[in-house]
Amino acid sequence: MSGARRRAAFLDRDGTLVRDVGYARRPDDLALLGGVRDSLAKLRSGGFLLIVITNQSGIGRGFLREDEYPLQIERLAELLGSEARPDAHYYCPHHPTEALGAYRIECDCRKPKPGLFLRAIAEHGIDPAPRSRSAITRATPRRRGRPASRPSRPSVPTSQLSPPPSPAPNANYLVAEKGLRGEPRQGR
């Protein structure tokens, strides 16, 4: 893509845009978190592309087929409406230890690795820093037989997010510990 580089908001899906239900199996499992549609519409009106980048190891674990996942992408777009609909949606179906068959790999697309971010940057002519932003969430990974531990920080409005160490080179990422509007994430 030639010309000026574009700005983007990189967004996680589960626990940031929609309620984290563990592993969404059907499009109807998706429910927007409060205030998300308005927050995304403000980002769009501010000139940001809306890019979803999400780990979806439920595919690799066999909870749903990869050819079923596009129905969830469509459902999210419907829920968000035209003013907040993502411009692109990237997902990683892999997991290095818990996935089945060909999905059990150490890949470069599973966050926090930068593969999907770099792909989106290249495909959409995005200026990775300092003009782009990311709302991602973090949860301590689940250990066998023990639930995930969650930080007890309050929800953080998108206007008050602060930069953590960047998972991708030359990018300015922001962390929302409990999503855009306050729901805790499930462990992945």
Side-chain angles (χ1 to χ4, degrees), residues 26 29 54-55 70 139 186:
R26 300 177 318 275
D29 290 341
T54 180
N55 290 336
Q186 301 286 323

Side-chain angles (χ1 to χ4, degrees), residues 20-23 61 63 95 97-98 110 139-150 185-188:
D20 192 343
V21 297
Y23 298 101
R61 294 168 193 248
F63 297 136
H95 193 280
T97 60
E98 302 298 319
R110 183 170 176 79
T140 302
R142 187 177 304 190
R143 292 194 171 95
R144 250 177 240 261
R146 292 173 42 196
S149 62
R150 293 182 191 86
R185 284 181 48 90
Q186 301 286 323
R188 289 274 187 260

Side-chain angles (χ1 to χ4, degrees), residues 121-138:
I121 287 166
E123 289 179 1
H124 296 279
I126 294 168
D127 181 0
R131 295 169 26 98
S132 293
R133 301 287 184 259
S134 180
I136 59 176
T137 59
R138 287 197 256 186

Side-chain angles (χ1 to χ4, degrees), residues 39-50 81-87:
S39 294
L40 295 183
K42 286 178 186 174
L43 284 168
R44 181 176 311 287
S45 70
F48 286 86
L49 291 172
L50 304 176
S82 62
E83 292 188 14
R85 178 174 288 138
D87 295 292

Side-chain angles (χ1 to χ4, degrees), residues 36-128:
V36 166
R37 187 180 301 119
D38 292 338
S39 294
L40 295 183
K42 286 178 186 174
L43 284 168
R44 181 176 311 287
S45 70
F48 286 86
L49 291 172
L50 304 176
I51 310 289
V52 174
I53 296 184
T54 180
N55 290 336
Q56 293 297 319
S57 69
I59 295 168
R61 294 168 193 248
F63 297 136
L64 74 153
R65 295 188 325 262
E66 192 162 5
D67 64 350
E68 296 172 321
Y69 189 69
L71 298 174
Q72 291 188 23
I73 295 171
E74 289 174 22
R75 176 66 178 151
L76 179 61
E78 289 170 9
L79 290 170
L80 289 169
S82 62
E83 292 188 14
R85 178 174 288 138
D87 295 292
H89 192 114
Y90 296 87
Y91 66 95
C92 173
H94 310 113
H95 193 280
T97 60
E98 302 298 319
L100 306 171
Y103 292 108
R104 184 183 291 212
I105 62 169
E106 186 71 42
C107 63
D108 73 343
C109 61
R110 183 170 176 79
K111 292 182 303 178
K113 292 185 180 174
L116 294 179
F117 290 96
L118 296 174
R119 182 174 154 203
I121 287 166
E123 289 179 1
H124 296 279
I126 294 168
D127 181 0

Side-chain angles (χ1 to χ4, degrees), residues 164-176:
S166 176
N170 301 319
N172 184 8
Y173 292 92
L174 303 174
V175 174

